[in-house]
């Protein structure tokens, strides 16, 4: 803890940046060559030249992989060793950052997340090289090309004022050239620490969500490349079999990654939920909806020859939406509409070029080959599996388009602005997205969920080409009846635990709930029945059914946890509630708890016990007790610890909720307010003193006794190391703080050390040698915590959401393995 | 197939009415009693009143709208952290007399990517 703060005069090591930059350039150039060589290997008619070029291409790609890996390793070394002379390290990490969050630093910034994307492409590319046989050449050519474009974002090459990309290896000095601190040669002594990782990202979900999400995004490139290769080679149908496992992989990973983001939001934001229809969330959802639609049409195309052209369109769209979502998130165009919005200057045009290029590269050949692509003359018969699967894909596509249309409203505003400027018109540029995104999107998407659940329930009971609708209905009859019974039972049960539901605004009619519950049950029951009665229990080929069950569980979980969520901390105490302008939709959801004074909050008696400070975070201990209404027996007794995290500069307080998980519901609590915290931050108390060994410094919550001061020094340095015994409450610790003079450079380092017991810092200002005294400054930012304000919510059956995601992922996985086996058999039997 | 497409277009069209605009104080006053979205910045010259001892579920402040007009806002919720450091605020609510009553608020905080100063 203390060592990390005591930087001696920080060396400026330009070597890392130089090496790193060379690696990036190498990766860039090798990607270009790989793309070109693979391209030649496809275009050349001679078989031995084909082999020659593809070997070269492969070699270059592997070189590219090594270079990129080296970039990643270099960056980690820089972050790990706290090289704050580099802008990226300074901007996203700090000396006291816990080891487990080092990974998060890597992708907190634009450059890092681009690198993460390219890293996954390399991993996937290596799989393609190993497994794709003759498809390797065209697919890898395309993948390498995508890498080239992605790397332009981190090149950091400057032509005067204009620059291509932003390199993560820039020195702080080179990026913030005008800051006066750089007038000194040894400016690092003014910069002992980085800005640190955003407090909200210091959470284990943020360590795993971005890489999984980006793997999901990157994985869509592969089916895209296969589809485009199909056009390129004129092999309009053969690409589907090998591409299908990759598309299923995308569905599995991207879906999981998206909901991990939801889990993060639920665990660490005080929003109270896992999906807010925030534009950035929406942008990541669309590619998933479209690739799932696409993989269904691919399955149809594989089995019947219908929907081949739709498969091209959907797979191309899925990739387009990955690029478009990157554009939305990174260009800053979302501006006012999203709390996530990242703003980066100059990126917009670069992103537009990236998106535009691939739109042209994909859709122009598609137009040109459109008529040559095999397509059935007649439409699918209604009474067939392919018809209903196609309908399902359409519903998914529609769902995606609905979300992206309204999420893109700021883009329309910007476009209108552009049109105005070019043509002098005066279109309204001030468009705002829907006022209440949650109600708005849920209103429509709920029906999407219902349709998908229903379609995925009965669709499989149709055979390809034709099934008698009457027969199918008879098969389903049992399951329909069973589902109705299950729905009734569930509704009655839910009615009991819902009492008054907080948010009936979303679903106006009880009928909507019932339809959703029925759809969910029907999907679960019918799919299970399908596995056992039709597939005879062979799970290996039941991936689709398993995934459909997972989706249905997810749907039920979303309904019940959302519609049934109940605020426990309803404030009916004391205060006059005749606030003007209020109507009864305004919920009073925050309650103030005095220390050690229990309050009855709906089902629970809640007591604020006090707070504990551990490593810069203040944890608030809240005891929840449930007593039996009649007997008074203690039924439940647990404590939650929502906390406020101090970022390392002790300026930002990020509130983190704490959730107690039970099997059938969660109790979610977070702190909304503290004394002295209302409209101003807790003002620090700063005091300076000159003391001798044995003296005591006191501050608001404790004392520090100067135990000893030792002389320290080396070849060129001389100084003192002060050791304090700190006591806060009943806890004690030892702190060391140094004062060092560099004789050779003539500079002084005044150390600062923070206590891990409380929000207190001590600074070694000076040594008064004649009096044998030392000067210290204490900065005390401890919080007054006599009372806190909390909000607490019960989420029923939210575990169904997580269960649903897991089951859905398992379903995708089973399918992927099954299709891979199918694909391998077909490649062996097909001839070059 | 065409049937489905027709339904989707109909649904879409009905939802288009949901594209709203950001309002200014004048717009909101004109539409008094209707829910609108008001956009502006926190007027830092005026105090922000939040007294959780009295009522943890409401706070009030002054907003400067797009036209730089001062609007008195009452928000019925707890005050978000670092509210005084906010960059821009979007409020959903209704105007009544001269006060805007908000039940939903979106606060944009200064971007972490403003890398113009090295803070100590």
């Amino acid at each position: 803890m203390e060592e990390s703060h005591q930087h001696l005069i920080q060396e400026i090591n330009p070597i890392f940046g130089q090496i790193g930059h060379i690696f990036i350039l190498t990766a860039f150039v090798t990607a270009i060559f790989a793309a070109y060589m693979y391209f030649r290997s496809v275009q050349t008619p001679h078989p031995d030249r084909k082999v020659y070029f593809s070997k070269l291409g492969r070699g270059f790609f592997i070189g590219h992989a090594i270079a990129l890996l080296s970039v990643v390793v270099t960056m980690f070394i820089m972050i790990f060793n706290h090289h704050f002379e580099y802008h990226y390290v300074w901007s996203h990490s700090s000396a006291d950052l816990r080891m487990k969050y080092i990974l998060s630093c890597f992708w907190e910034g634009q450059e890092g997340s681009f690198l993460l994307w390219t890293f996954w492409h390399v991993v996937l590319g290596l799989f393609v090289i190993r497994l794709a046989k003759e498809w390797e050449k065209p697919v890898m050519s395309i993948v390498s090309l995508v890498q080239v474009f992605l790397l332009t974002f981190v090149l950091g090459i400057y032509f005067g004022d204009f620059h291509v990309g932003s390199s993560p290896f820039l020195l702080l000095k080179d990026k913030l050239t005008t800051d006066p601190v750089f007038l000194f040669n040894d400016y690092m002594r003014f910069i002992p620490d980085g800005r640190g990782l955003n407090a909200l990202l210091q959470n284990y979900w943020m360590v795993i969500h971005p890489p999984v999400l980006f793997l999901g995004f990157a994985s869509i490139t592969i089916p895209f490349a296969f589809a485009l290769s199909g056009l390129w080679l004129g092999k309009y149908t053969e690409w589907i079999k090998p591409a299908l496992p990759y598309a299923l992989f995308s569905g599995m990973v991207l879906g999981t990654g998206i909901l991990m983001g939801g889990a993060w939001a639920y665990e660490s934001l005080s929003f109270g939920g896992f999906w807010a229809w925030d534009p950035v969330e929406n942008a990541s959802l669309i590619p998933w909806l479209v690739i799932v639609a696409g993989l269904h049409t691919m399955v149809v195309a594989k089995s019947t020859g219908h929907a081949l052209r739709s498969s091209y369109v959907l797979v191309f769209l899925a990739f387009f939406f990955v690029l478009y979502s990157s554009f939305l998130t990174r260009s800053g165009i979302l501006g006012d509409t999203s709390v996530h919005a990242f703003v980066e200057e100059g990126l917009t045009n670069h992103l537009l070029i990236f998106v535009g290029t691939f739109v042209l590269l994909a859709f122009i050949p598609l137009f040109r080959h459109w008529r040559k692509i095999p397509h059935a003359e007649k439409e699918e018969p209604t009474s067939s599996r392919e018809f209903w699967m196609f309908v399902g894909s359409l519903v998914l596509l529609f769902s995606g388009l609905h979300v992206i249309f309204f999420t893109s409203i700021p883009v329309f505003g910007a476009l209108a602005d552009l049109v105005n400027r070019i043509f002098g018109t005066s279109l309204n540029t001030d468009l705002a997205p829907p006022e209440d995104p949650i109600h708005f999107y849920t209103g429509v998407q709920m029906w999407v969920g219902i349709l998908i659940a229903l379609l995925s329930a009965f669709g499989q009971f149709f055979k390809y080409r034709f099934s008698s609708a009457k027969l199918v209905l008879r098969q389903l009859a049992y399951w329909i009846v069973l589902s109705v019974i299950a729905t009734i039972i569930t509704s009655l049960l839910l009615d009991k635990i819902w009492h008054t539901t907080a948010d009936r605004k979303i679903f106006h009619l009880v009928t909507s709930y019932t339809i959703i519950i029925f759809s969910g049950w029907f999907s679960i029951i019918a799919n299970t029945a399908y596995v056992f009665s039709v597939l005879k229990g062979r799970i290996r080929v039941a991936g689709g059914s398993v995934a459909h069950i997972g989706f249905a569980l997810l749907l039920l979980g979303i309904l019940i946890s959302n519609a049934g969520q109940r605020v426990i901390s309803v404030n009916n105490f004391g205060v006059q509630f005749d606030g003007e302008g209020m109507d009864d939709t305004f919920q009073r959801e925050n309650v103030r708890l005095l220390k050690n004074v229990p309050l009855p909050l709906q089902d629970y008696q809640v007591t604020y016990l006090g707070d504990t400070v551990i490593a810069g975070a203040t944890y608030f201990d809240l005891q929840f007790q449930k007593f039996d209404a009649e007997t008074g027996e203690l039924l439940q007794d647990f404590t939650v610890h929502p906390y406020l995290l101090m970022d390392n500069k002790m300026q930002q307080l990020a509130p983190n909720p704490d959730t107690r998980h039970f099997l059938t519901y969660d109790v979610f609590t977070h702190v909304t307010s503290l004394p002295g915290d209302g409209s101003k931050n807790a003002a620090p108390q700063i005091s300076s003193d000159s003391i001798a060994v044995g003296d005591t410094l006191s501050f608001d919550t404790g004392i520090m006794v100067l135990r000893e001061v030792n002389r320290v020094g080396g070849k060129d340095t001389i100084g003192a190391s002060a050791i304090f015994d700190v006591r806060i409450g009943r806890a004690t610790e030892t702190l060391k703080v140094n004062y060092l003079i560099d004789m050779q450079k003539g500079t002084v380092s005044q150390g600062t050390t923070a206590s891990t017991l409380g929000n207190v810092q001590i600074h070694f200002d000076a040594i008064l040698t004649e009096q044998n005294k030392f000067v210290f400054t204490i900065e005390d930012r401890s919080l007054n915590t006599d009372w806190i304000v909390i909000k607490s919510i019960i989420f029923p059956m939210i575990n169904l959401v997580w269960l649903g995601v897991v089951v859905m992922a398992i379903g995708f996985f089973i399918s992927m393995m099954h299709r891979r086996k199918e694909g391998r058999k077909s490649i062996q039997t097909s001839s070059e | 197939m065409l049937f489905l497409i027709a339904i989707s277009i109909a649904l879409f069209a009905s939802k288009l009415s949901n594209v709203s605009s950001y309002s200014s104080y004048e717009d909101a006053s004109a539409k008094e009693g209707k829910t609108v979205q008001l956009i502006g910045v926190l007027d830092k010259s005026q105090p922000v009143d939040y007294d959780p001892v009295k009522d943890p579920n409401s706070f009030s402040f002054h907003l400067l709208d797009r036209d730089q007009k001062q609007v008195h806002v009452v928000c019925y919720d707890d005050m978000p952290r670092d509210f005084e450091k906010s960059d821009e605020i979007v409020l959903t609510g209704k105007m009544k007399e001269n006060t805007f009553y908000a039940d939903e608020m979106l606060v944009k905080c200064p971007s972490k990517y403003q890398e113009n100063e090295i803070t100590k």
Side-chain angles (χ1 to χ4, degrees):
Chain A
M1 131 218 55
E2 164 271 317
E3 280 73 19
S4 51
H5 277 280
Q6 302 310 308
H7 292 297
L8 282 183
I9 320 302
Q10 180 69 287
E11 295 285 317
I12 298 161
N13 298 295
I15 189 80
F16 290 109
Q18 289 160 348
I19 292 186
H21 202 224
I22 292 178
F23 283 139
I24 287 192
L25 291 173
T26 311
F28 180 66
V29 170
T30 44
I32 294 178
F33 274 103
Y36 178 66
M37 291 302 162
Y38 273 122
F39 175 77
R40 290 292 302 272
S41 79
V42 174
Q43 298 296 81
T44 181
H46 309 291
D48 9 301
R49 303 275 285 167
K50 264 199 194 312
V51 171
Y52 170 70
F53 279 122
S54 77
K55 282 221 174 98
L56 270 182
R58 197 179 297 167
F60 275 115
F61 192 81
I62 293 180
H64 163 79
I66 296 176
L68 202 56
L69 203 61
S70 312
V71 170
V72 172
V73 167
T74 312
M75 280 191 65
F76 270 117
I77 293 179
M78 282 161 46
I79 296 175
F80 198 81
N81 288 314
H82 305 304
H83 282 280
F84 299 122
E85 64 268 29
Y86 288 99
H87 180 265
Y88 198 83
V89 180
W90 172 79
S91 181
H92 303 296
S93 72
S94 58
D96 60 354
L97 192 63
R98 276 169 278 187
M99 209 43 51
K100 48 187 171 171
Y101 301 134
I102 292 272
L103 285 175
S104 295
C105 297
F106 189 85
W107 39 77
E108 194 198 33
Q110 294 268 23
E111 299 89 343
S113 63
F114 271 119
L115 284 172
L116 181 60
W117 195 349
T118 55
F119 171 75
W120 284 129
H121 274 153
V122 159
V123 172
L124 292 164
L126 292 173
F127 271 97
V128 170
I129 289 178
R130 181 91 173 76
L131 303 170
K133 305 275 185 345
E134 80 272 18
W135 287 99
E136 175 192 345
K137 304 181 201 53
V139 170
M140 288 311 295
S141 176
I142 298 168
V143 171
S144 304
L145 186 64
V146 176
Q147 286 292 75
V148 171
F149 273 85
L150 281 177
L151 283 171
T152 58
F153 287 98
V154 292
L155 275 181
I157 296 185
Y158 291 76
F159 305 101
D161 263 348
F162 173 73
H163 69 101
V164 177
S166 168
S167 167
F169 294 112
L170 277 183
L171 283 176
L172 198 55
K173 169 163 94 95
D174 294 329
K175 191 133 181 179
L176 302 177
T177 40
T178 51
D179 198 292
V181 87
F182 298 118
L183 292 173
F184 298 86
N185 274 333
D186 54 345
Y187 54 82
M188 282 311 294
R189 64 189 165 98
F190 297 106
I191 309 171
D193 204 357
R195 273 201 317 202
L197 186 64
N198 190 319
L200 282 177
L201 303 182
Q202 294 184 36
N203 180 292
Y204 68 88
W205 284 111
M206 261 306 156
V207 177
I208 51 174
H209 155 66
V212 175
L213 188 75
F214 271 89
L215 177 56
F217 284 145
S219 65
I220 292 188
T221 311
I222 312 293
F224 167 76
F226 267 101
L228 193 52
S229 303
L231 290 180
W232 187 359
L233 298 181
K235 295 199 169 152
Y236 299 120
T237 51
E238 294 89 324
W239 63 274
I240 298 233
K241 264 225 177 99
L244 196 51
Y246 291 99
L248 286 160
F249 178 77
S250 299
M252 174 175 81
V253 176
L254 186 54
T256 309
I258 291 172
L259 276 146
M260 279 182 179
W264 169 76
Y266 180 61
E267 292 280 322
S268 73
L269 298 181
S270 42
F271 150 71
F274 52 86
W275 193 262
W277 294 107
D278 179 277
V280 169
E281 292 174 320
N282 297 346
S284 68
L285 179 62
I286 318 304
W288 184 78
L289 292 167
V290 178
I291 195 68
V292 173
L295 68 89
H296 282 89
T297 56
M298 282 166 73
V299 170
V300 168
K302 190 176 76 73
S303 309
T304 68
H306 285 281
L308 188 54
R309 294 195 284 196
S310 313
S311 300
Y312 279 104
V313 172
L314 287 170
V315 170
F316 284 171
L317 274 181
F319 184 68
F320 162 70
F321 280 125
V322 170
L323 303 190
Y324 181 65
S325 102
S326 188
F327 167 73
L328 278 184
T329 316
R330 298 174 191 266
S331 66
I333 202 166
L334 291 177
D336 308 318
T337 63
S338 170
V339 289
H340 288 86
F342 311 112
V343 182
E344 189 79 28
E345 342 75 47
L347 211 51
T348 311
N349 295 324
H350 195 164
L351 285 162
L352 281 172
I353 295 176
F354 181 37
V355 180
T357 310
F358 281 95
V359 167
L360 294 175
L361 260 178
F363 285 98
I364 290 182
L366 188 59
F367 284 141
R368 290 184 38 208
H369 291 253
W370 190 255
R371 242 162 267 164
K372 285 192 252 169
I373 299 174
H375 56 278
E377 288 309 325
K378 287 198 300 202
E379 269 202 16
E380 303 93 333
T382 319
S383 241
S384 67
R385 177 183 282 206
E386 60 265 31
F387 175 77
W388 291 108
M389 284 177 76
F390 187 70
V391 170
S393 294
L394 272 185
V395 172
L396 284 166
L397 178 64
F398 167 74
S399 163
L401 290 175
H402 174 259
V403 176
I404 202 65
F405 181 81
F406 289 97
T407 303
S408 300
I409 286 178
V411 179
F412 301 145
L415 278 175
D417 187 55
L418 192 65
V419 169
N420 284 345
R421 277 192 278 161
I422 297 179
F423 299 107
T425 46
S426 52
L427 300 169
N428 180 11
T429 61
D430 198 21
L431 305 167
E435 279 149 15
D436 189 346
I438 295 184
H439 288 162
F440 174 73
Y441 288 110
T442 314
V444 172
Q445 296 297 326
M446 156 179 92
W447 292 104
V448 169
I450 291 173
L451 279 174
I452 296 295
L454 290 174
L455 288 166
S456 67
F458 69 77
Q460 289 175 110
F461 284 89
F462 282 92
K463 294 223 212 350
Y464 282 119
R465 312 224 181 273
F466 178 76
S467 263
S468 148
K470 255 208 289 217
L471 266 169
V472 171
L473 211 56
R474 214 179 295 163
Q475 267 182 303
L476 291 169
Y478 290 129
W479 315 127
I480 296 179
V481 170
L482 204 56
S483 307
V484 171
I485 297 176
T487 306
I488 296 175
I489 298 177
T490 316
S491 304
L492 291 174
L493 275 173
L494 288 176
D495 218 49
K496 273 185 68 182
I497 68 171
W498 281 358
H499 304 289
T500 49
T501 51
D503 219 337
R504 276 196 185 269
K505 271 202 281 190
I506 297 183
F507 308 120
H508 308 291
L509 313 157
V510 178
T511 350
S512 309
Y513 297 170
T514 322
I515 295 180
I516 298 182
I517 299 177
F518 173 76
S519 313
W521 271 121
F522 184 42
S523 189
I524 295 173
I525 292 174
N527 275 293
T528 314
Y530 184 77
V531 173
F532 289 106
S533 65
V534 178
L535 296 179
K536 310 282 190 256
R538 287 177 297 145
I539 304 282
R540 214 173 298 153
V541 295
S545 310
V546 174
H548 295 158
I549 293 175
F551 179 81
L553 288 168
L554 175 62
L555 185 67
L556 287 175
I558 292 176
L559 166 71
I560 300 174
S561 67
N562 259 297
Q565 71 175 277
R566 227 169 11 99
V567 176
I568 322 179
S569 55
V570 178
N571 196 333
N572 293 317
F573 310 104
V575 189
Q576 286 284 61
F577 296 137
D578 54 355
E580 294 220 31
M582 269 181 75
D583 53 52
D584 24 84
T585 59
F586 285 60
Q587 284 263 303
R588 327 274 304 171
E589 295 173 348
N590 295 283
V591 165
R592 190 169 73 102
L593 294 172
L594 292 168
K595 207 183 277 197
N596 292 318
V597 176
L599 271 186
L601 298 180
Q602 304 252 314
D603 324 23
Y604 291 95
Q605 181 176 278
V606 183
T607 317
Y608 165 46
L609 298 174
D611 68 294
T612 339
V613 178
I614 303 176
T618 310
Y619 293 81
F620 299 93
D621 306 316
L622 289 160
Q623 184 180 29
F624 281 69
Q625 290 170 308
K626 187 187 272 197
F627 297 96
D628 186 289
E630 288 134 30
T631 66
E633 185 196 333
L634 185 62
L635 296 172
Q636 274 182 16
D637 191 346
F638 60 90
T639 317
V640 293
H641 314 276
Y643 60 98
L644 290 180
L645 188 66
M646 298 289 211
D647 77 353
N648 70 313
K649 290 288 164 292
M650 299 212 296
Q651 279 163 17
Q652 235 186 44
L653 304 174
N656 279 53
D658 192 18
T659 305
R660 172 78 182 197
H661 304 283
F662 293 95
L663 190 62
T664 54
Y665 60 93
D666 276 2
V667 180
F668 170 96
T669 311
H670 72 99
V671 174
T672 51
S673 204
L674 296 173
D677 183 59
S679 53
K680 342 169 231 314
N681 284 321
Q685 294 173 312
I686 304 181
S687 57
S688 295
D689 263 306
S690 58
I691 56 172
V693 173
D695 284 347
T696 304
L697 289 172
S698 64
F699 48 96
D700 212 29
T701 46
I703 58 170
M704 289 196 198
V705 180
L706 181 57
R707 195 206 304 165
E708 58 188 77
V709 179
N710 300 315
R711 187 159 295 181
V712 295
K715 189 171 74 129
D716 291 319
T717 59
I718 190 171
S721 180
I723 300 185
F724 281 90
D725 289 323
V726 184
R727 179 178 318 169
I728 296 181
R730 270 175 297 176
T732 57
E733 72 174 329
T734 307
L735 287 184
K736 187 156 48 141
V737 61
N738 292 344
Y739 182 93
L740 291 157
I741 304 176
D742 186 313
M743 311 287 267
Q744 210 195 38
K745 300 192 184 150
T747 52
V748 164
S749 163
Q750 299 160 313
T752 306
T753 307
S755 162
T756 57
L757 296 180
N759 294 319
V760 187
Q761 270 185 346
I762 183 146
H763 185 71
F764 200 151
D765 292 329
I767 303 179
L768 307 173
T769 29
E770 321 81 46
Q771 303 153 34
N772 216 8
K773 278 196 171 170
F774 311 93
V775 186
F776 298 97
T777 303
I778 293 191
E779 208 174 282
D780 182 4
R781 287 177 188 267
S782 316
L783 304 167
N784 172 5
T785 55
D786 291 335
W787 51 260
I788 58 172
V789 177
I790 62 158
K791 192 190 286 200
S792 190
I793 307 176
I794 288 189
F795 289 103
M797 297 311 284
I798 195 164
N799 284 330
L800 272 185
V801 172
W802 317 123
L803 179 66
V805 178
V806 169
V807 173
M808 203 164 48
I810 294 177
F812 272 115
F813 182 75
I814 296 175
S815 265
M816 179 179 80
M817 298 311 277
H818 170 58
R819 299 295 178 184
R820 217 171 80 73
K821 241 205 276 182
E822 266 189 0
R824 265 200 302 212
K825 274 192 265 177
S826 90
I827 285 182
Q828 279 163 11
T829 56
S830 77
S831 51
E832 168 63 85
Chain B
M1 215 48 49
L2 292 168
F3 184 55
L4 274 166
I5 299 177
I7 297 190
S8 343
I9 297 181
L11 261 169
F12 238 60
S14 73
K15 290 295 168 193
L16 274 176
S17 59
N18 259 294
V19 178
S20 50
S21 320
Y22 293 119
S23 307
S24 65
Y25 173 62
E26 303 229 356
D27 304 332
S29 302
K31 295 191 204 155
E32 187 161 321
K34 281 181 64 181
T35 305
V36 294
Q37 278 183 309
L38 186 63
I39 190 171
V41 294
L42 179 63
D43 185 353
K44 304 206 171 133
S45 69
Q46 299 287 329
V48 177
D49 287 314
Y50 181 51
D51 188 357
V53 179
K54 211 168 61 160
D55 182 3
N57 290 301
S58 88
F59 70 102
S60 73
F61 58 96
H62 285 84
L63 188 81
L64 287 172
D65 79 347
R66 302 193 292 226
D67 308 318
Q68 296 302 306
K69 281 222 51 191
Q70 205 187 60
V71 188
H72 180 233
V73 179
V74 174
C75 184
Y76 284 107
D77 205 344
D78 54 272
M79 190 178 78
R81 221 139 274 298
D82 297 333
F83 183 63
E84 328 75 52
K85 292 203 204 134
S86 61
D87 252 357
E88 202 164 49
I89 304 172
V90 179
L91 296 152
T92 306
K94 309 180 198 179
M95 199 71 160
K96 187 168 154 185
E97 266 131 59
N98 280 328
T99 306
F100 190 81
Y101 295 94
D103 63 332
E104 247 167 73
M105 185 166 71
L106 185 72
V107 180
K108 271 287 299 293
C109 286
S111 167
K112 258 220 114 197
Y113 294 86
Q114 271 164 7
E115 301 142 336
N116 292 324
E117 346 141 353
I118 300 172
T119 49
K120 260 203 3 186

